[in-house]
Amino acid sequence: MSGTFTGVGVGPGDPELMTLKAVRAIRECSVIAVPVSDNSLEAPVCEKVGTESQYKGYLDRCMAFGIARCAVPEVEKKDRIFLPMPMIKEKDKLRNIHDMDAEAVAEILEQGRDVVFLTLGDPTVYSTCMYVHKRLKRKGYPTELVPGIPSFCAAAARMDISLAENRQEVHILPASYQIEKGLELPGTKVLMKAGRKMSDVKQILMEKGLEAEMVENCGMENEKVYLSAEEIPEQAGYYSLLIVKEKSTGGEKR
């Protein structure tokens, strides 16, 4: 009987926001899958617990692993498989890498061992976990997803505002692509992956006179909050999320 592949959302950054189900899944699994965005890792690598790690740098740079480590110290005692997940846009190259990742995980599942893939936020929202998940599912392996608190919900809570009320719509937009048309949609717009194009995003927000607030590194030690488009810096980190509201038509802004 094969093992099960489970994508586990560890939430946005604060270990206290991890769910009980996420904690249990980590404790009960045999192997932790660690995504590596560093281009230096060209192929999946397995590492047994108890041996001196040759890939400690990958662990230290993996935000999801760091969050899980704070809430579930037992994660340190799990075997690991490091999976290359480069942040590139070449579709053919990415497809080949994801196929290779899925094959490496499948070999572990064939041994009857359960694998947990750690991911920031929720595994169903812009998560690299799904590239492996859907390939394994097509091959017939058991798969599961454990939801985590999405970054946009945590950011709204951090800024003490609602995402939507009554009949308002909510739109989630990847800000690393063209967002002009998306910002014309009614209701609240959540801009994710904005870090690399923050200067352009800020300019568009200012030109349109939109009400925007931003959280950088939500729930982490280096968290920063900006309560207006004017306050948003020209440069920001990858984990920057903006909440854009419709223009006020009277009454209180917040």
Side-chain angles (χ1 to χ4, degrees), residues 17-89:
L17 294 180
M18 280 184 61
T19 66
L20 294 175
K21 190 167 186 176
V23 170
R24 180 168 61 82
I26 293 170
R27 284 177 175 162
E28 295 180 355
C29 76
S30 303
V31 181
I32 296 292
V34 181
V36 178
S37 59
D38 190 326
N39 291 334
S40 65
L41 184 66
E42 298 181 352
V45 177
C46 294
E47 186 174 67
K48 289 284 186 180
V49 68
T51 59
E52 185 176 352
S53 178
Q54 300 180 37
Y55 307 99
K56 186 176 183 299
Y58 292 147
L59 286 180
D60 292 341
R61 290 192 293 274
C62 179
M63 301 296 294
F65 188 86
I67 295 167
R69 178 162 44 193
C70 292
V72 195
E74 299 95 309
V75 73
E76 296 271 19
K77 300 179 181 179
K78 303 286 183 180
D79 290 346
R80 297 180 280 266
I81 179 169
F82 297 92
L83 301 176
M85 290 284 178
M87 299 174 67
I88 58 177
K89 293 183 179 180

Side-chain angles (χ1 to χ4, degrees), residues 155-166:
R158 176 62 182 85
M159 293 184 285
D160 203 26
I161 61 174
S162 68
L163 279 174
E165 299 175 34
N166 200 356

Side-chain angles (χ1 to χ4, degrees), residues 126-140:
Y126 297 127
S127 171
T128 53
C129 164
M130 298 307 297
Y131 298 126
V132 177
H133 175 278
K134 63 185 179 182
R135 284 168 168 77
L136 293 173
K137 190 171 185 177
R138 283 199 298 263
K139 291 175 180 289

Side-chain angles (χ1 to χ4, degrees), residues 103-235:
E103 290 172 5
V105 174
E107 291 180 8
I108 297 174
L109 298 180
E110 285 291 345
Q111 301 169 15
R113 309 182 78 198
D114 295 333
V115 178
V116 159
F117 186 115
L118 299 176
T119 183
L120 278 174
D122 183 276
T124 67
V125 182
Y126 297 127
S127 171
T128 53
C129 164
M130 298 307 297
Y131 298 126
V132 177
H133 175 278
K134 63 185 179 182
R135 284 168 168 77
L136 293 173
K137 190 171 185 177
R138 283 199 298 263
K139 291 175 180 289
Y141 291 102
T143 57
E144 295 180 3
L145 295 172
V146 176
I149 294 178
S151 57
F152 48 87
C153 291
R158 176 62 182 85
M159 293 184 285
D160 203 26
I161 61 174
S162 68
L163 279 174
E165 299 175 34
N166 200 356
R167 298 182 180 180
Q168 290 178 332
E169 299 176 5
V170 178
H171 304 277
I172 303 172
L173 308 173
S176 53
Y177 299 90
Q178 297 297 321
I179 61 170
E180 287 87 344
K181 290 185 178 180
L183 289 173
E184 295 175 1
L185 294 167
T188 301
K189 276 73 67 175
V190 174
L191 306 184
M192 301 182 68
K193 305 181 179 182
R196 292 182 178 179
K197 292 195 173 182
M198 190 58 68
S199 178
D200 295 335
V201 171
K202 179 177 180 178
Q203 182 178 347
I204 294 171
L205 295 174
M206 297 290 287
E207 289 175 352
K208 292 181 176 292
L210 296 172
E211 296 178 0
E213 301 185 25
M214 185 183 99
V215 178
E216 183 178 2
N217 302 319
C218 184
M220 304 177 192
E221 291 184 359
N222 54 344
E223 175 188 273
K224 295 180 181 178
V225 177
Y226 305 92
L227 300 179
S228 69
E230 292 81 2
E231 292 183 20
I232 295 173
E234 295 289 331
Q235 297 181 339

